[in-house]
């Protein structure tokens, strides 16, 4: 059965010239009384010639090469596939170039604020150097779970769905993957994960840096919208600008800047104190010809995420409204 499945995944959907593995097109395969019953998503139902070619190749594989007695094939046009891609989910990349500026916090809190506005949200923790979304959400260690076709089942928490690189590593061990493995993990997150097909937003928490991952993601989700996170400090804003320019080069839409750790409200006199300097967010927004969407004060959430009845939660509510408006 495994051999059959593997071989079917390597067959080509000639209506788009990609393997069914690549298109995530193998919906079902069962064998009863030596008869293979297979359902496949195909990309272009109107290309009858290519469809016939695809069918012939599969029949040859199943009956001649693998020796099964018979085969039933059902093709389902991809329009019915019902995935986040068909249903107009918006992709939001949260990045910064610099480490430790609060990308993961902003990503999780923005996601959570969007759910408070009745949006369906998924989060991809794409930080290969140190997954942190599970931490920000206060989740215990999570093992990857998959369905019978090897699709990943996202974890659900705080009304959001989430997948993380942490699913794939041993506790407290750094992830040292490079190149193809990384690519295939990201591919899994985007194409082989059972996201709620009606997600409104898929947020992607990027690792620090502007390297490989940004490029891989640029190719995987060409319609990405980037939020650049920075701190008020000039050194962070310099690198954040670079990250934003990199995203623009990948033809991603930089929708705005979030300045994190902008100020501290001194509880003694209620004055704003600009502990980490001032102006970084504005500089980045200007350099990238985009908007400064929010300035998040310094503060520790009681339970991982900020709620609407907390000052910082309110800032996130406003940020979420702006994001919804921009991506309308
Ligand atoms: N507004 C804030 N007020 C206080 N602490 C914050 C704030 N934002 C983030 N932090 C803290 O700063 C640290 C770094 O935050 P976070 O992990 O979100 O940054 P990051 O940019 O994702 O880091 P990395 O580059 O490692 O992925 C965490 O300890 C977090 O709790
Ligand atoms: Mg992070």
């Amino acid at each position: 059965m495994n051999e059959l499945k593997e071989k079917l995944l390597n067959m080509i959907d000639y209506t788009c010239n990609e393997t069914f593995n690549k298109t995530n097109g193998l919906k079902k395969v069962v064998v009863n009384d030596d008869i293979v019953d297979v359902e496949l998503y195909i990309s272009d139902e109107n290309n009858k010639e290519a469809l016939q070619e695809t069918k012939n190749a599969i029949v040859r594989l199943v009956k001649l090469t693998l020796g099964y007695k018979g085969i039933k094939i059902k093709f389902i046009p991809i329009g019915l596939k019902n995935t986040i891609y068909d249903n107009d989910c918006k992709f939001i990349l949260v990045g910064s170039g610099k480490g430790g500026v609060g990308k993961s916090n902003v990503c999780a809190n923005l996601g959570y604020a969007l759910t408070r506005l009745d949006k369906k949200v998924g989060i991809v923790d794409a930080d290969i150097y140190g997954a942190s979304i599970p931490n920000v959400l206060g989740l215990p260690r999570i093992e990857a779970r998959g369905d019978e076709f090897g699709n990943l089942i996202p974890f659900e928490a705080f009304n959001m769905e989430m997948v993380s690189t942490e699913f794939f590593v041993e506790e407290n061990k750094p992830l040292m993957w490079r190149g193809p493995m990384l690519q295939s993990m990201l591919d899994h997150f985007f194409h082989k994960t059972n996201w709620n097909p009606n997600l409104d937003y898929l947020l992607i928490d990027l690792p620090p840096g502007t390297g490989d991952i940004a490029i891989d993601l640029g190719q995987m989700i060409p319609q990405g919208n980037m939020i650049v996170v920075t701190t008020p400090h000039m050194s962070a804003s310099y690198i954040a600008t670079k990250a934003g320019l990199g995203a623009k080069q990948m033809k991603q839409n930089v929708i705005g800047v979030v300045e994190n750790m902008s100020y501290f409200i001194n509880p003694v006199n209620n004055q704003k104190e600009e502990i980490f300097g001032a102006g970084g967010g504005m500089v980045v927004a200007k350099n990238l010809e985009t908007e400064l969407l929010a300035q998040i004060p310094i503060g520790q959430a009681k339970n991982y995420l900020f709620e609407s009845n907390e000052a910082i939660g309110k800032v996130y509510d406003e940020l979420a409204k702006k994001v919804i408006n921009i991506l309308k």
Side-chain angles (χ1 to χ4, degrees), residues 172-200:
N172 297 328
K173 288 239 174 93
L175 187 57
M176 306 291 248
W177 294 352
R178 287 284 178 272
M181 262 178 101
L182 177 60
Q183 169 96 34
S184 93
M185 180 163 60
L186 290 174
D187 194 55
H188 226 102
F189 287 167
F190 291 103
H191 297 113
K192 290 180 189 146
T193 293
N194 294 337
W195 296 110
N196 173 345
N198 297 318
L199 283 189
D200 296 300

Side-chain angles (χ1 to χ4, degrees), residues 96 98-106 127 132 136 205-206 208 260-261 296-300:
S96 76
K98 197 165 168 18
V101 297
K103 292 175 294 298
S104 303
N105 264 264
V106 169
D127 193 340
S132 42
V136 179
D205 181 24
L206 294 175
N260 188 33
M261 310 189 204
I296 318 266
I298 297 167
Q300 220 61 54

